[in-house]
């Protein structure tokens, strides 16, 4: 296991939050992992809406590096102006290490991530799978274990089980019961491995289509909720 140190919720607040009078700015990492070809890169593109920079196309397929982007959200809450500045990190889905000259696979990308990341804490871990391919859902078992081993999960992390290809409604192979079992599995793994009490409510599920963009707003909502959950706005005066 990499020894990068864990943050608990109060140290997250100390390090990743600035309160200046009515202005509150928070930051943190949003990490996408999951099997190759499940739609991680396209989801991030839909989130940041860089549609001019990247045309939505099948030309982007297998990622061979860790991809970075950011997502900024502002809202008013009571007398506060609240800004979330989320750093997105999208990992390649190819497991293990790549051969020389074949770009980066997941573990190569992980080395790079630990060198270059500007924000240490993962506020949201997005475990990505293809709703029409049950194997990509079953493989989340591998991805959650890998994430825990590499300190991508802490007490402050919210988990999203992200089902893509929601446009292929008649081919959906992952049902509600699978999701319930999946959430329990993730909760138990985190609780046992990190020896913490990890509440089930910190694990949510969102289904999206990167083709029609159905569900993208829900995903944005889930990410914002995760930040509000960690940086509990009602406790500002305690900081
Ligand atoms: N129909 C449909 N196609 C999708 C959806 N999401 C992604 N795709 C397609 O699936 C393919 C893979 O998507 P990517 O975003 O490159 O997948 P990835 O998870 O980043 O893959 P790696 O970088 O190899 O790990 C692309 O051809 C996308 O156009 C979706 O929700 N619906
Ligand atoms: Mg990719």
């Amino acid at each position: 296991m990499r020894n990068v140190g864990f943050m608990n919720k109060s140290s997250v607040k100390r390090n990743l939050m600035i309160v200046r009078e009515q202005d509150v700015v928070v930051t943190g990492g949003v990490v996408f992992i999951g099997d190759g070809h499940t739609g991680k890169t396209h989801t991030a593109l839909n989130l940041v809406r860089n549609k001019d920079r990247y045309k939505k196309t099948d030309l982007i397929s297998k990622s061979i590096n860790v991809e970075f982007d950011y997502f900024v959200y502002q809202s008013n809450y009571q007398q506060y102006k609240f800004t979330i500045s989320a750093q997105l990190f999208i990992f390649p889905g190819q497991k293990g290490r790549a051969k020389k000259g074949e770009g980066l696979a997941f573990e190569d990308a992980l080395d790079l991530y630990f060198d270059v990341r500007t924000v240490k804490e993962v506020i949201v871990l997005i475990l990505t799978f293809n709703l029409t391919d049950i194997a990509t859902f079953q493989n989340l078992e591998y991805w959650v274990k890998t994430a825990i081993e590499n300190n991508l999960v802490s007490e402050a992390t919210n988990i999203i089980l992200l089902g893509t290809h929601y446009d292929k409604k008649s081919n959906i192979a992952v049902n509600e019961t699978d999701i319930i079992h999946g959430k329990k599995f993730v909760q138990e793994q985190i609780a046992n491995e990190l020896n913490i009490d990890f509440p089930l409510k910190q694990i949510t599920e969102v289904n999206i289509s990167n083709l029609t963009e159905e569900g993208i707003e829900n995903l944005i909502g889930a990410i914002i909720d995760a930040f509000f959950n960690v940086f509990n706005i009602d406790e500002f005066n305690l900081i």
Side-chain angles (χ1 to χ4, degrees):
M1 201 187 259
R2 280 166 205 266
N3 186 16
V4 290
F6 278 124
M7 287 193 187
N8 58 26
K9 282 194 183 179
S10 58
S11 65
V12 167
K13 279 188 199 164
R14 264 199 315 279
N15 287 296
L16 300 181
M17 177 176 210
I18 296 173
V19 184
R20 287 207 184 97
E21 292 169 11
Q22 260 64 55
D23 264 329
V24 182
V25 182
V26 300
T27 187
V30 176
V31 170
F32 286 81
I33 61 171
D35 274 4
H37 226 66
T38 50
K40 299 179 295 296
T41 297
H42 284 76
T43 305
L45 292 177
N46 271 327
L47 272 184
V48 299
R49 303 187 194 287
N50 276 327
K51 285 171 189 146
D52 300 332
R53 192 141 55 97
Y54 305 98
K55 295 243 180 327
K56 205 162 25 173
T57 158
D58 280 349
L59 291 178
I60 311 166
S61 67
K62 178 179 156 173
S63 296
I64 55 164
N65 205 336
V66 57
E67 295 158 347
F68 305 99
D69 222 312
Y70 62 90
F71 162 82
V72 178
Y73 172 83
Q74 285 195 317
S75 74
N76 293 310
Y77 180 80
Q78 294 175 358
Q79 75 271 37
Y80 296 106
K81 191 172 123 243
F82 199 86
T83 304
I84 294 170
S85 165
Q87 309 294 307
L88 308 184
F89 300 96
I90 307 102
F91 280 95
Q94 189 194 323
K95 295 189 178 81
R97 292 186 182 274
K99 286 198 209 111
K100 215 175 161 114
E102 293 192 358
L104 305 185
F106 179 76
E107 285 179 32
D108 307 308
L110 208 51
D111 292 341
L112 182 70
Y113 165 79
F114 282 109
D115 284 346
V116 303
R117 66 182 173 168
T118 49
V119 170
K120 212 169 161 187
E121 189 64 23
V122 179
I123 303 296
V124 191
L125 178 71
I126 303 188
L127 295 168
T128 313
F129 65 98
N130 176 342
L131 283 161
T132 69
D133 180 351
I134 189 81
T136 65
F137 180 75
Q138 289 160 345
N139 280 338
L140 293 185
E141 190 173 320
Y142 167 86
W143 289 110
V144 74
K145 285 180 177 167
T146 303
I148 295 167
E149 267 168 31
N150 289 287
N151 286 1
L152 296 175
V153 181
S154 77
E155 184 197 5
T157 307
N158 287 255
I159 313 285
I160 297 177
L161 301 183
L162 179 70
T164 61
H165 293 72
Y166 200 35
D167 47 285
K168 297 189 173 164
K169 295 248 181 342
S170 54
N171 293 330
I172 288 179
V174 180
N175 64 34
E176 267 308 304
T177 316
D178 298 327
I179 298 286
I180 291 166
H181 287 148
K183 283 184 181 174
K184 271 223 96 54
F185 177 83
V186 170
Q187 181 198 23
E188 282 166 15
Q189 284 291 314
I190 297 173
N192 294 343
E193 293 299 320
L194 302 185
N195 203 12
I196 54 173
D197 183 21
F198 195 80
L200 202 54
K201 71 171 173 52
Q202 242 165 276
I203 308 171
T204 51
E205 102 209 57
V206 180
N207 292 340
I208 62 158
S209 163
N210 283 310
L211 205 65
T212 65
E213 296 180 26
E214 182 181 0
I216 295 289
E217 287 302 321
N218 296 342
L219 177 60
I220 291 172
I223 293 171
I224 292 164
D225 285 350
F227 274 84
F228 275 109
N229 180 19
V230 175
F231 301 97
N232 188 347
I233 201 160
D234 294 319
E235 292 173 8
F236 283 170
N237 40 9
L238 302 177
I239 295 162

